Each structure stands twice: as structure tokens, then as C-alpha cells.
Amino acid sequence: MLEVPSPSVTHAPPPAEAVAPLMRGLDVLRRLTDADGTLALAELARATGLARSTVDRICATLAHLGYLRLDGRDASLAPPLMAVANAFLDALRVPELLGPLADRLADELDESVSLAVPDGEGVRFVHQVLRRRALSISFRVGDPLPGEGSAPGIVFRRGVDLAVDDQLVERGLIAVAMPVRGPSGGVVCAVSVVSHTSRHSADSLPGAVRGALSASVRGMEGVLRDAAAATGLRPGPRSSNAGGGGFGSAPVQALARGLSVLTVFGAEHPALSLSRIAEGTGLSRATARRALLTYEHLGYVRQDDRLYRLTPRVLGLGCAVLSRTTLPRIAGPHLAALSDALGESVGLSVADGEWVRSTARVAPRRVMSVDIGVGSRLPAGATSAGQVLAAGAGEAVADGPEDGLWSVAVPVRGRDGDVVSALDVTAHRGRGERDAWAQALRATAARIEADLAVTSRFVTVPRH
Ligand code: PHB
């Protein structure tokens, strides 16, 4: 715990026992992440140098696992892939333990604050508190930064107690970083305070933030000491795949099996032996060992004292893209499927004072369909969505928003159970049936909620 296993960068050829389909699947996920989440299958074939039929089978497997969505010719990263990043961030414990102190520091200074860990030659963000400004910083959890060209990178590489980034990463951006040390003296992460040249200069920022930043670092080091003292024996991982035969129908079983290794890690078991990994995945020791050899070769896993850990590099498998998503984007494919199934217009909306504002809408293509523009506002009381949002629960039916229309709505809840949005179907009067629609809406809301829950474990997902 509280150790950041840095991947060793290797350009050596893969070991003979490396699992080729696993390497290919990881390559596809990494390339999709670097391409902002979506690529045409033909483009993936070109980029990876694989045969198109191989790319299709790998993508079918990733889609089967829920990690990818296939849409005509395109493959896109899907929210369930965030489980891989969550396994690392859970095991790391830094966001959970130090995130609240970083949040407080951001409030105190009214500046953005981030936590970063070393990743090979560079760094990766594991927590971000953003202050909304006209000139806002666009880094998110999972994003990489260069080692020498960023404040946290300088902290890790030079071992200094304070580093300044004077517009190295981006013009106008200045940052001050300090190391946070664990109980054994090693640097666990760096805290950065990030500002802009319109508010500070590289000369003024360190002086302005040093006091609060040092106090926050001391607080964080105290939290790490307490956490290390409280660590007792940990139970082994629950078996996540055993018995379910979960890989049986995957087109490329070796890929599906190999990927299951990543998500056995977590807060309760940040470091695992081969036997524990085999037990947790339901794989044979030989299969688990070959997957681990593959991950080690690629720098996603490190082994120390017979214990394996995930490295920050796993954040390059989707997280950097999925951490920028919004609720309407998460909901999009689910709305499309529901609209298809019902043949009606379905949408998502949020409360906005006395109003409800539409944040996403999918209407079937036909001559007469309900058309409510995204961004438009309606009085809350006049719509079923508004009633659901006002009540914070339940299911609602309303006439309107125009003569001759009616709608049914259900709530969509966030991780903590709060209603974050309303999902509705709106149609011409005389079409549809309340109970059937409510049931379909609830099933869709549950899918959106599952995607939202996995995505928002360590990042804030905007509701609109
Ligand atoms: C950031 O958190 O966005 C950040 C931190 C340190 C840098 C640059 C950006 O040097």
C-alpha cells in the first residue's frame, strides 16, 4: 500500500510466453485512448498493423466485456472500462485518502489542485479539483504529463521539495508542486497548485501558496501515517469470474481471461501473489502467470517480492478519455436504444431552478415526432421530468409540454443515490401505455446509472 509501482520502460521483445491476443487487445485500448476514444475499425487495423479480421475479433471481445461500443464502422471506449482505472486508483488509495485534503486546499486558495504520481519517465494525474474559470485547465484523472516539463515531474525526478512550472506544460499555466512522503520517507505523490498568468506570475505563485500548500502536505503525510498504522491482514480477493464461465462466449478467450486479471486488484488487495490472482480470477496458475508476464513486459504490472501491483500506466487504458465524459454522453447510446425499442422520442433533463432543461434527446426518424431541442427549458411543473426532479423520486406522468402530447418520466440516480437527472418518453396522446413505458424507462435508467457509477468512482461527471 501507498507505494507507487513505477513501470520499467522496456523495448525488449516480448517474452516467449507473452499472450499475443492480450497484447493486441491492450494495444487497441491504448490507441483508442490516445485517439480520444473513437476510431474507425479500418483505422485501428492500419494503426496496429493487424489484419482487419483480427481487429474485428479483438473489438468484438472488448465489446462483449462492455469495454468497447461498436457502432457501424467505429469502435468507441465505453464506461465499464473505467473499472480498470478504478482498480488501480482503489489499490493506490491516494485519491481516497488524500483527495479530501486536496479539495480543501483548492477551496482555501481558490485555485485548481491536483495529485500526481510518477509513471515511468513522466507523471499521471490521480486526482483533480478544478476551479471553473474562463481559462480553465483541461487535465483530468489519467492524463499523462512529461517528467521534466511539469511541476510534479520535476519534484519526482530531481527530488526537490518545491518545483515551479512556468508555462512549461501550456502557455499561461503556472504550477507549484510539493512532494508528499509516506511513512517510510519515499515520495508517494506530488500536490500541485495550478494557476494562470492572469492571476499570478511564476515569481508570485510560490509565495502566495506556500504556507497553505505546506500545511496541506503535512496533513496528507499524517493521513498516510495513520493509514499505514491501521493496515492489518487483508482478505484475499473475491473470485470475480470463477463459476460464471464468463469468458466462454467471448470470441478471443485469451484476451478476455487476460483482462480479468486487472480488476482483481483494489483497495482490499493492492498487491497480490500469483495464487491469489489465480483464485480471484478463476484462472489456472499457468494462465494467470502468462497474463502477468505480458502485463509486466508492457509496464502495466510490477512484481516485487512475489507480489504483483498495477502501475499508473493502466490509466492509459481508457481513463484519460472516460474521465472527461458527461452524463448526457454516457446516456447517449442508452437513449438511442430505448428510442429504437419504443419508436418514440426519449430524453434526459436536469433541474434548473423552476425549470427543467433538456440535456439529451433522441427522436425516431419519422414524419411526425416530438422535437424538444437540447438546451431548451420548460416550466418544471408542466412536465413529467420536472415532477420527478422536484420530488427527487418516483415516476411521473404528465400531459404536455404541448397540447396533444403526454410523457412518462423516471429518475436517474448518481452513485450516492441522489436523483441527478430525469429520463422521459414523450409522445402524442393515444400512443403508448404507461406501465410498459415506465418499465422500459426504469431498465434504461438502471443501465445509465451503472455506467455513471463506474465512471464517477474517482472523477466528477458533469450532469450536463
Ligand atoms: C495540473 O494539475 O493541471 C498541472 C499540474 C502541474 C503542472 C501542470 C499542470 O506542472
Side-chain angles (χ1 to χ4, degrees):
M1 182 189 80
L2 305 176
E3 249 175 70
V4 186
S6 207
S8 45
V9 183
T10 162
H11 301 284
E17 287 177 279
V19 185
L22 179 56
M23 294 186 71
R24 295 185 188 126
L26 294 167
D27 195 26
V28 162
L29 292 174
R30 191 179 54 77
R31 283 176 196 274
L32 280 165
T33 307
D34 292 348
D36 253 352
T38 300
L39 278 174
L41 292 164
E43 189 52 47
L44 266 173
R46 240 193 317 275
T48 55
L50 297 170
R52 174 60 195 269
S53 58
T54 307
V55 167
D56 286 356
R57 282 191 314 128
I58 286 169
C59 288
T61 303
L62 293 169
H64 174 86
L65 297 171
Y67 291 169
L68 264 192
R69 186 169 293 119
L70 293 172
D71 193 4
R73 299 165 177 196
D74 291 340
S76 305
L77 298 175
L81 177 59
M82 200 69 158
V84 169
N86 291 348
F88 166 73
L89 293 168
D90 246 329
L92 183 67
R93 298 198 69 202
V94 165
E96 167 210 339
L97 293 171
L98 308 187
L101 285 154
D103 298 354
R104 224 176 295 153
L105 180 62
D107 281 343
E108 195 182 333
L109 296 172
D110 193 27
E111 300 283 5
S112 296
V113 168
S114 60
L115 300 177
V117 296
D119 178 11
E121 309 281 296
V123 313
R124 290 256 180 204
F125 290 114
V126 297
H127 185 78
Q128 275 282 8
V129 203
L130 300 182
R131 283 285 162 275
R132 276 197 187 279
R133 297 240 161 78
L135 294 158
S136 79
I137 294 147
S138 58
F139 296 112
R140 292 287 188 283
V141 169
D143 279 337
L145 275 190
E148 267 304 318
S150 67
I154 295 168
V155 161
F156 299 134
R157 291 178 69 140
R158 302 202 199 145
V160 292
D161 278 326
L162 188 121
V164 180
D165 161 7
D166 183 5
Q167 309 182 67
L168 292 169
V169 164
E170 203 166 290
R171 206 190 149 102
L173 186 157
I174 40 182
V176 175
M178 289 182 77
V180 179
R181 293 176 200 283
S184 56
V187 176
V188 168
C189 66
V191 200
S192 305
V193 177
V194 191
S195 191
H196 192 268
T197 45
S198 61
R199 290 164 63 83
H200 275 290
S201 71
D203 290 332
S204 73
L205 187 64
V209 305
R210 189 178 208 132
L213 180 55
S214 309
S216 182
V217 166
R218 279 195 299 279
M220 290 180 181
E221 292 178 343
V223 168
L224 294 180
R225 271 196 304 280
D226 294 347
T231 307
L233 278 180
R234 295 164 186 282
R238 263 179 297 118
S239 179
S240 50
N241 305 299
F247 317 119
S249 43
V252 186
Q253 288 200 30
L255 171 56
R257 287 192 177 120
L259 285 172
S260 72
V261 164
L262 295 177
T263 45
V264 287
F265 292 88
E268 295 299 315
H269 13 80
L272 292 166
S273 66
L274 173 59
S275 332
R276 286 290 180 91
I277 291 167
E279 191 188 313
T281 53
L283 301 175
S284 70
R285 278 175 65 97
T287 303
R289 196 181 66 87
R290 288 189 58 196
L292 288 162
L293 270 173
T294 310
Y295 284 124
E296 243 189 310
H297 169 72
L298 297 173
Y300 293 112
V301 159
R302 226 187 64 187
Q303 187 199 350
D304 256 329
D305 274 348
R306 299 175 159 260
L307 290 180
Y308 295 89
R309 294 169 192 272
L310 300 178
T311 75
R313 184 163 298 176
V314 304
L315 299 179
L317 301 172
C319 177
V321 168
L322 295 166
S323 64
R324 316 186 122 71
T325 195
T326 64
L327 180 54
R329 268 198 261 161
I330 286 176
H334 301 296
L335 296 186
L338 180 62
S339 173
D340 259 7
L342 300 181
E344 300 292 350
S345 166
V346 302
L348 205 63
S349 26
V350 292
D352 184 1
E354 306 281 288
W355 303 81
V356 290
R357 188 144 48 89
S358 165
T359 56
R361 189 106 219 147
V362 177
R365 244 175 281 157
R366 61 163 183 254
V367 182
M368 269 199 17
S369 71
V370 176
D371 187 18
I372 301 164
V374 167
S376 65
R377 295 196 313 175
L378 292 165
T383 67
S384 56
Q387 290 169 21
V388 161
L389 292 166
E395 166 193 317
V397 179
D399 288 323
E402 284 166 31
D403 272 356
L405 297 181
W406 77 296
S407 67
V408 183
V410 301
V412 176
R413 294 172 190 278
R415 263 188 88 80
D416 55 7
D418 286 353
V419 174
V420 293
S421 196
L423 173 68
D424 74 271
V425 47
T426 299
H428 292 278
R429 190 91 58 70
R431 298 169 64 100
E433 197 255 309
R434 173 181 174 157
D435 287 344
W437 277 4
Q439 201 181 343
L441 286 168
R442 277 196 301 270
T444 299
R447 291 190 190 104
I448 297 170
E449 287 167 353
D451 279 359
L452 178 60
V454 68
T455 311
S456 60
R457 172 84 176 82
F458 290 106
V459 307
T460 308
V461 177
R463 296 178 189 195
H464 50 83

